[in-house]
Amino acid sequence: AERAEGTARLLTVVDDFAEDNSSRTRTPGARATEALLQTLAQVSGTESLRQDGSPLGYLRQVVLDGSRTGTVRHCATQVINAAQHVRDLLSVDTWSVLGRLQQTLDDTPDDDDQLQPLLADVLESLLAFAGIVAHSMVREESWAFLEAGCRMGRAQLTLAVLTSAFAEAKDRQVEDLVVEGVLRAGESIITHRRRAAAGTGPTLALESAIELLLLDRANPRSVLYQAESLAADLALLGDEASAAKALALVKALDAVRPEELLETAALTTRLRELEQDFRRLSDDLTSLHFSRQAPRRPQTAGWSSPWQVADD
């Protein structure tokens, strides 16, 4: 669900850029649009879908093609399939939201070229689902696992977007437009503009994006916020060793200085290191909590059963 939401938000931004700049070739807006399209392709793993057709056709496929891993529909289907396995544990409200999500994606006409209303409906359902989890579940192990998964997913997705969007140096105009798109996808554009207007934020747009989406512990969209929340979730589970690893990530992020990452090579190197650190922790959690145990065969007793003894 977290990946579906993040992909839908990025799609909303990229579609908006594509509509505004489709006829403005070789402009900063067109180059920023291409950079954001490439970011979407890499983050969602749908590079192969970009080989044919127009940007709009590609964006529609990333929303609706359920046969491709990484699309919004594929992620939504995974959510619904997972929910089926714990059907008796989910409320009527939860099923109402998931049913609406599925209906939204199933009932979209193939010839409908307006993605913004569709993406708005998808996000509304996903936000409702997140709200039910956040405000209705008892804070026990089940909630901690769900919350930890959301934090891990959001951190990895944010790092992937930042890494892809800023992997190559760009002209200042293009870079500022890409930063705006990334901040919009990360639900942080209003905070960026408010701080810039008040003079309380960084002067450079890129530095503001690094601060807000990577290092701002008060921003629920930042990677640092995810790491701190993940440590608390793992502590609630009683997994102190994994919680310590999450706290090590917090310490590593606290040591980062935004002004030191304004050069492209330094930024991408640090982001990839953090991606690998989160991935290793994710793999550790999978092997510790979610790997299936080998089936155990009952051992045949070498002594008589009680009724055999009685018969004797």
Side-chain angles (χ1 to χ4, degrees), residues 154-312:
R154 184 173 295 183
Q156 292 187 13
L157 188 65
T158 302
L159 286 167
V161 169
L162 289 170
T163 302
S164 178
F166 304 116
E168 297 179 1
K170 302 173 181 64
D171 295 342
R172 176 60 63 83
Q173 280 185 298
V174 177
E175 183 179 271
D176 286 351
L177 288 170
V178 172
V179 167
E180 179 182 339
V182 169
L183 285 169
R184 284 172 57 191
E187 279 292 284
S188 300
I189 188 66
I190 293 176
T191 305
H192 161 72
R193 289 171 176 167
R194 177 168 51 81
R195 290 180 180 179
T200 58
T203 304
L204 294 175
L206 177 58
E207 186 176 352
S208 180
I210 294 170
E211 185 175 287
L212 276 169
L213 295 178
L214 190 65
L215 305 172
D216 191 337
R217 59 178 10 100
N219 183 7
R221 294 279 167 179
S222 77
V223 177
L224 178 55
Y225 186 96
Q226 312 316 313
E228 290 187 328
S229 299
L230 180 60
D233 296 332
L234 295 172
L236 179 59
L237 287 171
D239 187 351
E240 298 298 336
S242 298
K245 294 177 182 178
L247 289 174
L249 285 171
V250 173
K251 186 176 180 181
L253 285 160
D254 274 332
V256 175
R257 297 293 173 263
E259 63 274 10
E260 298 173 357
L261 300 181
L262 298 179
E263 195 270 326
T264 301
L267 176 60
T268 53
T269 297
R270 193 70 189 95
L271 289 172
R272 283 170 180 154
E273 289 172 351
L274 288 166
E275 274 192 277
Q276 291 172 359
D277 291 340
F278 272 96
R279 189 171 297 278
R280 277 194 291 269
L281 177 54
S282 177
D283 291 342
D284 290 345
L285 292 171
T286 298
S287 62
L288 182 62
H289 295 288
F290 296 105
S291 293
R292 292 181 180 273
Q293 299 294 322
R296 298 180 179 179
R297 295 182 178 179
Q299 185 176 359
T300 303
W303 54 83
S304 300
S305 60
W307 55 87
Q308 289 175 317
V309 173
D311 290 344
D312 292 343

